[in-house]
Amino acid sequence: METTSPKVPQLAPEQIRRAADYVELVWQEQGSEDERARLAKFHADGPELARLIGEFGALLLAGYLTAVPEEDADCESAYVLRQLVTVASRYLKRWCLASGAGAHTAWIAAGFLIECMQEIDQVHQFLADIRDGADARYSAAAA
């Protein structure tokens, strides 16, 4: 019985774009009037935003940030990495789905995801690629 595979969430392309926009805004936020207004608009969604960031985080961790080279897919370190991703994704989702979770939880979860992406040189381009990938998968599925 397989109990280790994470359940990767199925998000619509517009949800992926919205979550990526939020994470990017948190990443680059410098405190301008426009940025504070954009954050306030996101934060008005409270629990819904927290749920979205939890699902997006699980998708990001499982599908984009934990690449194991194909030649190493069967080694013990790949197994340990998959286990770590499974636990981190599950915990992030549970935390974001907890009753009372809201904008503050979404902000902290976005910060966690940003920390996971710190080794990426161009966070903006990375998030743009995720948005484009979601659109491409949706277009292919609709065809």
Side-chain angles (χ1 to χ4, degrees), residues 73-136:
D74 293 332
C75 72
E76 188 173 335
S77 62
Y79 172 78
V80 170
L81 180 60
R82 283 191 299 273
Q83 293 298 98
L84 181 61
V85 168
T86 299
V87 170
S89 297
R90 187 177 5 183
Y91 182 78
L92 180 67
K93 280 179 61 175
R94 284 181 182 163
W95 185 58
C96 288
L97 295 173
S99 66
H104 183 71
T105 301
W107 177 269
I108 293 170
F112 170 76
L113 295 172
I114 291 165
E115 287 297 321
C116 291
M117 292 186 282
Q118 286 303 310
E119 297 303 315
I120 299 167
D121 291 332
Q122 299 292 327
V123 172
H124 172 74
Q125 186 59 49
F126 178 72
L127 291 169
D129 291 345
I130 291 171
R131 287 182 196 100
D132 292 344
D135 289 337

Side-chain angles (χ1 to χ4, degrees), residues 19-113:
D21 289 348
Y22 178 73
V23 170
E24 187 168 11
L25 183 60
V26 170
W27 171 68
Q28 67 185 7
E29 196 261 328
Q30 300 294 317
S32 74
E33 192 68 33
D34 178 56
E35 289 166 334
R36 284 194 303 267
R38 289 176 57 209
L39 279 172
K41 188 173 180 179
F42 272 109
H43 288 166
D45 290 341
E48 183 58 36
L49 178 63
R51 282 190 289 279
L52 176 62
I53 298 304
E55 295 288 339
F56 179 70
L59 174 70
L60 196 67
L61 289 169
Y64 293 93
L65 292 176
T66 57
V68 174
E70 191 172 315
E71 63 271 10
D72 296 331
D74 293 332
C75 72
E76 188 173 335
S77 62
Y79 172 78
V80 170
L81 180 60
R82 283 191 299 273
Q83 293 298 98
L84 181 61
V85 168
T86 299
V87 170
S89 297
R90 187 177 5 183
Y91 182 78
L92 180 67
K93 280 179 61 175
R94 284 181 182 163
W95 185 58
C96 288
L97 295 173
S99 66
H104 183 71
T105 301
W107 177 269
I108 293 170
F112 170 76
L113 295 172

